[in-house]
Amino acid sequence: MVGLSREELAAEMAAIGAQPFRARQLWHWIYNRGVRDFAAMTSLAKTFRSELAERYVVGRPETARALVSSDGTRKWLLRFADGQEVECVHIPEEDRGTLCVSSQVGCTLTCKFCHTGTQRLVRNLSTAEIVGQVMLARDALGEWPSPQDDRQLTNVVLMGMGEPLFNYDNVAKALKIVMDHEGLSLSRRKITLSTAGVVPMIERCGRELGVNLAISLHAVSDELRDTLVPLNKKYAIAELLEACRNYPGSSNARRITFEYVMLRGVNDSPAEARELVRLLQGIPAKVNLIPFNPWPGAPFERSTAAAIKLFSDIVNAAGYSSPVRTPRGEDIMAACGQLKSESVKRRKGAAAAEEAAAPPA
Ligand code: SAH
C-alpha cells in the first residue's frame, strides 16, 4: 500500500467495497502511526483487517546493511525486491536531523568527482521505494507516531543516488505523500531537491512541489563545468542560472542553495570565488562548500583547508552565506555510492565462488 496517493488508496478501497472514510483511517495508520501489521489497526473492524491482510502489504525496503558512524551519522544500504540497492543517510545535527534520500539506482550523469557516477546500472526508483526510505528511517529512529516537536528526522534532502529531476513523476508523488499533513507531515520548507541542472524541469518542480531548490554548480566556467558535470553540455551555466532566477517561491527568506564541491587546484581559486559571486548576482542564494569526499581511484583531491577558507571568505564578504560542510560519516564511507559498490563486488565474488564450488552440469 505504501506509495499509493490518497486518491489511489481511496479508489482501491472503493474497489473492494469499503466505505470512503476507511481510506483516511488507513492513511493515518500507515503514515502517521507507522503501523505495518493490519491486525494492529484497531479502529478497523476485525473482519476488514483480515480482508486487508489477505490482499495487501504495508512494505518497507529490506535493509542489506546498517552502519553508524562515530559522529552519529547512519547509513543504510537498502535492497529492493529485484535485488537492486541504494543508499540512504541520516545526518544528526544540533538543531535538526537530515535524511538524504536516493531517487535512482545508479545515475546517468557521470559527474567526474561522484562515485555513484561510476556505477552502470540505472533504473528509476518507484514512489514506494522513495517514500520507503523515509519510513524506514522513522522505524530506525523510533519516530512513530509522526512527532510534533523534537524530531530526529526534521529535513529531507534529495541528494542521494540519482538525478531526481530525471525521475520527476515518482519523486513528485513521493514528496506529496511525505508532505501530507495527516501522515509523515514534513513541511515543503524542510525538503530540498538537489539537481545537477535539468533546466526544463526546474520551474515545474517549484510550481508543483514548492520545495527548496539546490543546484550542484561546482564550476564557474562552462569549459570546466562541461568536464565536471557533463550535463552542462546540454544546459549551460547561463541557462541554468536563468531558471534559478525564475524559480517559483524563491526569495531572500527562501534562498536557492548552490553546492560547490571543493577540488584541489581544480575549481578552488580566489578568482573563481569572485566569479561565483558575479554569477549569483540577483539570485537569492546561499553557497554550500563541500570538501570533496575521496574514494578509491578518484581523479581529484580535497582542497586544502586554507583554500576553502579563502574561498568561503570571498563569497561571504559579498553577502552570501557560505558554510563549509563538515565531512560526516568518514569512517563509514562518506562518498555516496561506495557502500553499494562494495556490496556489488562482494555479491559477485560470492556468486563466482558458488559457481566454482558447484559440480559441473
Ligand atoms: N543528481 C543530484 C543529486 C545527487 S548528488 C545533483 O547532482 O544535485 C548530491 C550532491 O553531492 C551534489 O552536489 C554532488 O555534486 C555532491 N557530491 C557527489 N559526490 C561527491 C563527493 N565525492 N564529494 C563531495 N560531494 C559530492
Side-chain angles (χ1 to χ4, degrees):
M1 277 187 162
V2 172
L4 297 179
S5 68
R6 266 183 186 272
E7 296 71 33
E8 288 167 342
L9 187 60
E12 207 52 63
M13 289 305 100
I16 63 166
Q19 286 174 290
F21 73 94
R22 295 295 178 205
R24 194 159 174 195
Q25 287 180 314
L26 266 169
W27 189 272
H28 181 84
W29 282 113
I30 296 171
Y31 293 115
N32 178 275
R33 306 286 291 270
V35 170
R36 299 187 52 186
D37 182 0
F38 291 108
M41 300 184 180
T42 46
S43 62
L44 308 177
K46 265 206 174 135
T47 50
F48 184 50
R49 282 185 246 165
S50 36
E51 195 186 338
L52 289 173
E54 271 164 37
R55 293 169 186 257
Y56 303 101
V57 289
V58 181
R60 293 287 192 273
E62 181 196 328
T63 304
R65 286 183 79 186
L67 303 178
V68 186
S69 162
S70 55
D71 68 22
T73 302
R74 289 170 188 243
K75 196 163 190 169
W76 294 277
L77 182 70
L78 305 179
R79 189 173 299 156
F80 300 116
D82 63 355
Q84 290 303 324
E85 295 171 331
V86 300
E87 296 177 14
C88 178
V89 185
H90 179 257
I91 304 159
E93 291 174 274
E94 229 161 73
D95 54 340
R96 62 181 166 187
T98 304
L99 190 73
C100 184
V101 167
S102 292
S103 55
Q104 297 182 306
V105 175
C107 190
T108 54
L109 293 174
T110 64
C111 299
K112 289 293 163 298
F113 50 85
C114 177
H115 186 75
T116 301
T118 65
Q119 296 170 355
R120 294 251 317 288
L121 208 114
V122 179
R123 72 164 171 84
N124 284 334
L125 294 189
S126 67
T127 303
E129 289 166 340
I130 298 167
V131 176
Q133 295 173 58
V134 179
M135 300 182 81
L136 182 122
R138 279 271 180 88
D139 291 345
L141 296 166
E143 297 221 296
W144 302 111
S146 295
Q148 296 302 315
D149 4 73
D150 278 343
R151 290 185 182 189
Q152 296 179 76
L153 198 173
T154 59
N155 293 51
V156 166
V157 294
L158 281 132
M159 289 186 192
M161 306 171 86
E163 168 50 53
L165 294 187
F166 281 163
N167 184 19
Y168 180 80
D169 290 344
N170 292 344
V171 166
K173 201 171 153 197
L175 290 183
K176 284 178 189 160
I177 293 173
V178 168
M179 293 189 282
D180 187 287
H181 292 308
E182 290 173 32
L184 293 162
S185 193
L186 276 145
S187 146
R188 66 192 167 85
R189 294 174 183 279
K190 303 279 186 186
I191 298 177
T192 301
L193 184 145
S194 178
T195 178
V198 185
V199 168
M201 296 305 294
I202 288 179
E203 191 269 341
R204 190 169 163 204
C205 169
R207 179 165 40 85
E208 291 184 352
L209 304 175
V211 296
N212 302 314
L213 181 67
I215 301 287
S216 293
L217 192 63
H218 308 317
V220 292
S221 73
D222 283 322
E223 197 192 354
L224 179 60
R225 196 164 190 271
D226 279 350
T227 69
L228 294 180
V229 183
L231 185 65
N232 196 67
K233 292 184 218 157
K234 204 158 179 197
Y235 309 111
I237 293 176
E239 211 182 320
L240 175 57
L241 295 181
E242 188 54 26
C244 292
R245 283 198 176 82
N246 298 325
Y247 189 66
S250 70
S251 67
N252 279 331
R254 286 193 82 198
R255 291 166 193 270
I256 295 173
T257 302
F258 288 86
E259 297 156 274
Y260 198 97
V261 60
M262 299 298 293
L263 306 170
R264 186 184 298 192
V266 173
N267 66 354
D268 61 354
S269 71
E272 284 161 308
R274 286 189 289 271
E275 178 60 9
L276 177 59
V277 167
R278 198 188 66 79
L279 287 176
L280 295 183
Q281 228 165 42
I283 303 176
K286 57 187 171 193
V287 177
N288 266 350
L289 298 176
I290 316 170
F292 172 62
N293 280 318
W295 38 274
F300 301 106
E301 285 174 297
R302 182 179 289 175
S303 302
T304 63
I308 297 176
K309 167 102 177 43
L310 187 56
F311 199 100
S312 166
D313 286 348
I314 292 169
V315 176
N316 204 52
Y320 296 101
S321 146
S322 57
V324 179
R325 290 285 155 214
T326 316
R328 300 286 302 260
E330 291 195 285
D331 52 346
I332 55 167
M333 293 180 280
C336 173
Q338 278 181 287
L339 196 57
K340 174 186 163 159
S341 285
E342 196 197 74
S343 162
V344 169
K345 230 186 271 165
R346 268 202 219 173
R347 288 161 80 192
K348 269 197 194 138
E354 214 168 275
E355 214 165 274

PDB file of all heavy atoms in Angstrom, residues 1 15 17 20 29 32 34 49 67 69 72 98 119 154 203 207 236 265 272 295 297 299 311 318 322 337:
ATOM      1  N   MET A   1       0.814  -1.219   0.000  1.00  0.00           N
ATOM      2  CA  MET A   1       0.000   0.000   0.000  1.00  0.00           C
ATOM      3  C   MET A   1       0.842   1.261   0.000  1.00  0.00           C
ATOM      4  O   MET A   1       0.377   2.331  -0.405  1.00  0.00           O
ATOM      5  CB  MET A   1      -0.899   0.004   1.237  1.00  0.00           C
ATOM      6  CG  MET A   1      -2.144  -0.794   1.017  1.00  0.00           C
ATOM      7  SD  MET A   1      -3.255  -0.599   2.399  1.00  0.00           S
ATOM      8  CE  MET A   1      -4.755  -1.170   1.641  1.00  0.00           C
ATOM      9  N   ALA A  15     -12.907  -0.124  -4.644  1.00  0.00           N
ATOM     10  CA  ALA A  15     -12.932  -1.323  -5.480  1.00  0.00           C
ATOM     11  C   ALA A  15     -13.220  -2.580  -4.662  1.00  0.00           C
ATOM     12  O   ALA A  15     -13.780  -3.546  -5.183  1.00  0.00           O
ATOM     13  CB  ALA A  15     -11.597  -1.464  -6.223  1.00  0.00           C
ATOM     14  N   GLY A  17     -15.108  -2.456  -2.048  1.00  0.00           N
ATOM     15  CA  GLY A  17     -16.406  -2.232  -1.410  1.00  0.00           C
ATOM     16  C   GLY A  17     -16.348  -1.620  -0.023  1.00  0.00           C
ATOM     17  O   GLY A  17     -17.333  -1.652   0.712  1.00  0.00           O
ATOM     18  N   PRO A  20     -15.607   5.121   1.961  1.00  0.00           N
ATOM     19  CA  PRO A  20     -14.518   6.066   1.679  1.00  0.00           C
ATOM     20  C   PRO A  20     -13.689   6.458   2.911  1.00  0.00           C
ATOM     21  O   PRO A  20     -12.476   6.626   2.801  1.00  0.00           O
ATOM     22  CB  PRO A  20     -15.258   7.295   1.131  1.00  0.00           C
ATOM     23  CG  PRO A  20     -16.542   6.768   0.587  1.00  0.00           C
ATOM     24  CD  PRO A  20     -16.896   5.577   1.414  1.00  0.00           C
ATOM     25  N   TRP A  29      -3.021   5.217   9.830  1.00  0.00           N
ATOM     26  CA  TRP A  29      -2.266   4.092  10.405  1.00  0.00           C
ATOM     27  C   TRP A  29      -0.916   3.925   9.709  1.00  0.00           C
ATOM     28  O   TRP A  29       0.099   3.680  10.351  1.00  0.00           O
ATOM     29  CB  TRP A  29      -3.057   2.782  10.283  1.00  0.00           C
ATOM     30  CG  TRP A  29      -4.148   2.634  11.287  1.00  0.00           C
ATOM     31  CD1 TRP A  29      -5.489   2.619  11.030  1.00  0.00           C
ATOM     32  CD2 TRP A  29      -4.011   2.478  12.707  1.00  0.00           C
ATOM     33  NE1 TRP A  29      -6.185   2.469  12.207  1.00  0.00           N
ATOM     34  CE2 TRP A  29      -5.309   2.378  13.253  1.00  0.00           C
ATOM     35  CE3 TRP A  29      -2.918   2.413  13.575  1.00  0.00           C
ATOM     36  CZ2 TRP A  29      -5.555   2.222  14.613  1.00  0.00           C
ATOM     37  CZ3 TRP A  29      -3.154   2.254  14.937  1.00  0.00           C
ATOM     38  CH2 TRP A  29      -4.450   2.161  15.442  1.00  0.00           C
ATOM     39  N   ASN A  32       0.996   8.052   9.677  1.00  0.00           N
ATOM     40  CA  ASN A  32       1.170   8.791  10.925  1.00  0.00           C
ATOM     41  C   ASN A  32       1.650   7.858  12.040  1.00  0.00           C
ATOM     42  O   ASN A  32       2.550   8.197  12.809  1.00  0.00           O
ATOM     43  CB  ASN A  32      -0.134   9.487  11.339  1.00  0.00           C
ATOM     44  CG  ASN A  32       0.017  10.222  12.661  1.00  0.00           C
ATOM     45  OD1 ASN A  32      -0.127   9.621  13.734  1.00  0.00           O
ATOM     46  ND2 ASN A  32       0.336  11.502  12.602  1.00  0.00           N
ATOM     47  N   GLY A  34       2.772   4.628  11.509  1.00  0.00           N
ATOM     48  CA  GLY A  34       3.857   3.744  11.072  1.00  0.00           C
ATOM     49  C   GLY A  34       3.553   2.268  11.253  1.00  0.00           C
ATOM     50  O   GLY A  34       4.467   1.444  11.286  1.00  0.00           O
ATOM     51  N   ARG A  49      -9.916  -6.051   8.747  1.00  0.00           N
ATOM     52  CA  ARG A  49      -8.464  -6.165   8.901  1.00  0.00           C
ATOM     53  C   ARG A  49      -7.941  -7.430   8.233  1.00  0.00           C
ATOM     54  O   ARG A  49      -6.934  -7.402   7.552  1.00  0.00           O
ATOM     55  CB  ARG A  49      -8.099  -6.200  10.387  1.00  0.00           C
ATOM     56  CG  ARG A  49      -8.132  -4.841  11.053  1.00  0.00           C
ATOM     57  CD  ARG A  49      -7.649  -4.962  12.477  1.00  0.00           C
ATOM     58  NE  ARG A  49      -8.712  -4.680  13.426  1.00  0.00           N
ATOM     59  CZ  ARG A  49      -8.674  -4.974  14.716  1.00  0.00           C
ATOM     60  NH1 ARG A  49      -7.617  -5.595  15.225  1.00  0.00           N
ATOM     61  NH2 ARG A  49      -9.668  -4.674  15.511  1.00  0.00           N
ATOM     62  N   LEU A  67      24.895   1.004   9.022  1.00  0.00           N
ATOM     63  CA  LEU A  67      26.138   1.414   9.673  1.00  0.00           C
ATOM     64  C   LEU A  67      25.901   2.681  10.484  1.00  0.00           C
ATOM     65  O   LEU A  67      25.105   3.533  10.092  1.00  0.00           O
ATOM     66  CB  LEU A  67      27.222   1.693   8.631  1.00  0.00           C
ATOM     67  CG  LEU A  67      27.572   0.566   7.653  1.00  0.00           C
ATOM     68  CD1 LEU A  67      28.628   1.033   6.656  1.00  0.00           C
ATOM     69  CD2 LEU A  67      28.078  -0.648   8.410  1.00  0.00           C
ATOM     70  N   SER A  69      28.122   5.819  12.212  1.00  0.00           N
ATOM     71  CA  SER A  69      29.432   6.455  12.339  1.00  0.00           C
ATOM     72  C   SER A  69      29.661   6.899  13.780  1.00  0.00           C
ATOM     73  O   SER A  69      28.712   7.095  14.546  1.00  0.00           O
ATOM     74  CB  SER A  69      29.492   7.669  11.415  1.00  0.00           C
ATOM     75  OG  SER A  69      30.533   8.541  11.789  1.00  0.00           O
ATOM     76  N   GLY A  72      27.648   9.813  14.707  1.00  0.00           N
ATOM     77  CA  GLY A  72      26.188   9.696  14.797  1.00  0.00           C
ATOM     78  C   GLY A  72      25.497   9.542  13.457  1.00  0.00           C
ATOM     79  O   GLY A  72      24.312   9.228  13.403  1.00  0.00           O
ATOM     80  N   THR A  98      18.843  15.439   9.228  1.00  0.00           N
ATOM     81  CA  THR A  98      18.550  15.440   7.800  1.00  0.00           C
ATOM     82  C   THR A  98      18.656  14.038   7.233  1.00  0.00           C
ATOM     83  O   THR A  98      19.621  13.326   7.491  1.00  0.00           O
ATOM     84  CB  THR A  98      19.545  16.367   7.072  1.00  0.00           C
ATOM     85  OG1 THR A  98      19.470  17.665   7.673  1.00  0.00           O
ATOM     86  CG2 THR A  98      19.212  16.474   5.593  1.00  0.00           C
ATOM     87  N   GLN A 119      28.866   4.012 -11.457  1.00  0.00           N
ATOM     88  CA  GLN A 119      28.067   2.786 -11.443  1.00  0.00           C
ATOM     89  C   GLN A 119      27.197   2.720 -12.681  1.00  0.00           C
ATOM     90  O   GLN A 119      26.590   3.707 -13.070  1.00  0.00           O
ATOM     91  CB  GLN A 119      27.203   2.756 -10.171  1.00  0.00           C
ATOM     92  CG  GLN A 119      28.073   2.693  -8.927  1.00  0.00           C
ATOM     93  CD  GLN A 119      27.278   2.916  -7.650  1.00  0.00           C
ATOM     94  OE1 GLN A 119      26.087   3.214  -7.688  1.00  0.00           O
ATOM     95  NE2 GLN A 119      27.947   2.760  -6.524  1.00  0.00           N
ATOM     96  N   THR A 154      14.043  15.846  10.780  1.00  0.00           N
ATOM     97  CA  THR A 154      13.320  17.104  10.543  1.00  0.00           C
ATOM     98  C   THR A 154      13.358  17.520   9.077  1.00  0.00           C
ATOM     99  O   THR A 154      12.472  18.222   8.619  1.00  0.00           O
ATOM    100  CB  THR A 154      13.939  18.259  11.351  1.00  0.00           C
ATOM    101  OG1 THR A 154      15.322  18.409  10.969  1.00  0.00           O
ATOM    102  CG2 THR A 154      13.861  17.998  12.845  1.00  0.00           C
ATOM    103  N   GLU A 203      11.265  24.777 -13.271  1.00  0.00           N
ATOM    104  CA  GLU A 203      10.092  25.622 -12.991  1.00  0.00           C
ATOM    105  C   GLU A 203       8.938  24.762 -12.459  1.00  0.00           C
ATOM    106  O   GLU A 203       8.292  25.113 -11.472  1.00  0.00           O
ATOM    107  CB  GLU A 203       9.689  26.352 -14.284  1.00  0.00           C
ATOM    108  CG  GLU A 203       8.658  27.442 -14.080  1.00  0.00           C
ATOM    109  CD  GLU A 203       7.218  26.968 -14.222  1.00  0.00           C
ATOM    110  OE1 GLU A 203       6.966  25.889 -14.813  1.00  0.00           O
ATOM    111  OE2 GLU A 203       6.340  27.666 -13.719  1.00  0.00           O
ATOM    112  N   ARG A 207       6.772  25.064  -9.000  1.00  0.00           N
ATOM    113  CA  ARG A 207       5.338  25.357  -9.061  1.00  0.00           C
ATOM    114  C   ARG A 207       4.510  24.244  -8.430  1.00  0.00           C
ATOM    115  O   ARG A 207       3.598  24.492  -7.657  1.00  0.00           O
ATOM    116  CB  ARG A 207       4.943  25.562 -10.538  1.00  0.00           C
ATOM    117  CG  ARG A 207       3.487  25.850 -10.802  1.00  0.00           C
ATOM    118  CD  ARG A 207       3.249  26.383 -12.217  1.00  0.00           C
ATOM    119  NE  ARG A 207       4.058  25.717 -13.244  1.00  0.00           N
ATOM    120  CZ  ARG A 207       3.716  24.578 -13.854  1.00  0.00           C
ATOM    121  NH1 ARG A 207       2.592  23.963 -13.552  1.00  0.00           N
ATOM    122  NH2 ARG A 207       4.499  24.032 -14.776  1.00  0.00           N
ATOM    123  N   ALA A 236      23.767  24.889 -20.282  1.00  0.00           N
ATOM    124  CA  ALA A 236      24.946  25.637 -19.832  1.00  0.00           C
ATOM    125  C   ALA A 236      24.621  26.527 -18.629  1.00  0.00           C
ATOM    126  O   ALA A 236      23.458  26.724 -18.272  1.00  0.00           O
ATOM    127  CB  ALA A 236      25.485  26.459 -20.994  1.00  0.00           C
ATOM    128  N   GLY A 265      43.016  22.593  -6.524  1.00  0.00           N
ATOM    129  CA  GLY A 265      43.674  23.074  -7.742  1.00  0.00           C
ATOM    130  C   GLY A 265      42.805  22.993  -8.987  1.00  0.00           C
ATOM    131  O   GLY A 265      43.289  23.244 -10.093  1.00  0.00           O
ATOM    132  N   GLU A 272      38.024  32.237  -8.919  1.00  0.00           N
ATOM    133  CA  GLU A 272      36.772  31.505  -9.152  1.00  0.00           C
ATOM    134  C   GLU A 272      35.711  31.871  -8.106  1.00  0.00           C
ATOM    135  O   GLU A 272      34.521  31.940  -8.422  1.00  0.00           O
ATOM    136  CB  GLU A 272      37.048  29.990  -9.200  1.00  0.00           C
ATOM    137  CG  GLU A 272      37.684  29.605 -10.543  1.00  0.00           C
ATOM    138  CD  GLU A 272      38.401  28.259 -10.534  1.00  0.00           C
ATOM    139  OE1 GLU A 272      39.253  28.032  -9.639  1.00  0.00           O
ATOM    140  OE2 GLU A 272      38.126  27.439 -11.429  1.00  0.00           O
ATOM    141  N   TRP A 295      37.309   8.867  -2.843  1.00  0.00           N
ATOM    142  CA  TRP A 295      37.007   7.438  -2.985  1.00  0.00           C
ATOM    143  C   TRP A 295      38.124   6.815  -3.796  1.00  0.00           C
ATOM    144  O   TRP A 295      38.815   7.519  -4.542  1.00  0.00           O
ATOM    145  CB  TRP A 295      35.633   7.222  -3.615  1.00  0.00           C
ATOM    146  CG  TRP A 295      35.245   8.183  -4.714  1.00  0.00           C
ATOM    147  CD1 TRP A 295      34.651   9.399  -4.555  1.00  0.00           C
ATOM    148  CD2 TRP A 295      35.431   8.020  -6.136  1.00  0.00           C
ATOM    149  NE1 TRP A 295      34.451   9.999  -5.776  1.00  0.00           N
ATOM    150  CE2 TRP A 295      34.921   9.169  -6.766  1.00  0.00           C
ATOM    151  CE3 TRP A 295      35.973   7.009  -6.930  1.00  0.00           C
ATOM    152  CZ2 TRP A 295      34.939   9.352  -8.156  1.00  0.00           C
ATOM    153  CZ3 TRP A 295      35.977   7.184  -8.313  1.00  0.00           C
ATOM    154  CH2 TRP A 295      35.471   8.338  -8.910  1.00  0.00           C
ATOM    155  N   GLY A 297      40.505   5.560  -6.382  1.00  0.00           N
ATOM    156  CA  GLY A 297      40.565   5.753  -7.827  1.00  0.00           C
ATOM    157  C   GLY A 297      40.043   7.100  -8.289  1.00  0.00           C
ATOM    158  O   GLY A 297      40.054   7.391  -9.490  1.00  0.00           O
ATOM    159  N   PRO A 299      39.856  10.837  -9.421  1.00  0.00           N
ATOM    160  CA  PRO A 299      40.890  11.648 -10.064  1.00  0.00           C
ATOM    161  C   PRO A 299      41.068  13.026  -9.411  1.00  0.00           C
ATOM    162  O   PRO A 299      41.634  13.914 -10.034  1.00  0.00           O
ATOM    163  CB  PRO A 299      40.361  11.793 -11.502  1.00  0.00           C
ATOM    164  CG  PRO A 299      38.877  11.673 -11.366  1.00  0.00           C
ATOM    165  CD  PRO A 299      38.600  10.822 -10.171  1.00  0.00           C
ATOM    166  N   PHE A 311      38.198  30.886  -0.068  1.00  0.00           N
ATOM    167  CA  PHE A 311      37.058  30.847  -0.991  1.00  0.00           C
ATOM    168  C   PHE A 311      35.781  31.277  -0.252  1.00  0.00           C
ATOM    169  O   PHE A 311      35.025  32.139  -0.713  1.00  0.00           O
ATOM    170  CB  PHE A 311      36.909  29.429  -1.542  1.00  0.00           C
ATOM    171  CG  PHE A 311      36.092  29.323  -2.799  1.00  0.00           C
ATOM    172  CD1 PHE A 311      36.714  29.209  -4.032  1.00  0.00           C
ATOM    173  CD2 PHE A 311      34.697  29.296  -2.755  1.00  0.00           C
ATOM    174  CE1 PHE A 311      35.968  29.084  -5.210  1.00  0.00           C
ATOM    175  CE2 PHE A 311      33.941  29.181  -3.909  1.00  0.00           C
ATOM    176  CZ  PHE A 311      34.580  29.074  -5.140  1.00  0.00           C
ATOM    177  N   ALA A 318      30.836  39.035   0.071  1.00  0.00           N
ATOM    178  CA  ALA A 318      29.924  39.578  -0.935  1.00  0.00           C
ATOM    179  C   ALA A 318      28.466  39.483  -0.479  1.00  0.00           C
ATOM    180  O   ALA A 318      27.554  39.854  -1.214  1.00  0.00           O
ATOM    181  CB  ALA A 318      30.105  38.825  -2.250  1.00  0.00           C
ATOM    182  N   SER A 322      28.063  31.211   3.234  1.00  0.00           N
ATOM    183  CA  SER A 322      28.842  30.181   2.523  1.00  0.00           C
ATOM    184  C   SER A 322      29.469  29.194   3.501  1.00  0.00           C
ATOM    185  O   SER A 322      30.681  29.073   3.609  1.00  0.00           O
ATOM    186  CB  SER A 322      29.937  30.827   1.677  1.00  0.00           C
ATOM    187  OG  SER A 322      30.769  31.625   2.500  1.00  0.00           O
ATOM    188  N   GLY A 337      27.607   6.113  -2.624  1.00  0.00           N
ATOM    189  CA  GLY A 337      27.754   5.082  -3.644  1.00  0.00           C
ATOM    190  C   GLY A 337      28.807   4.040  -3.302  1.00  0.00           C
ATOM    191  O   GLY A 337      28.804   2.950  -3.858  1.00  0.00           O
TER     192      GLY A 337
END
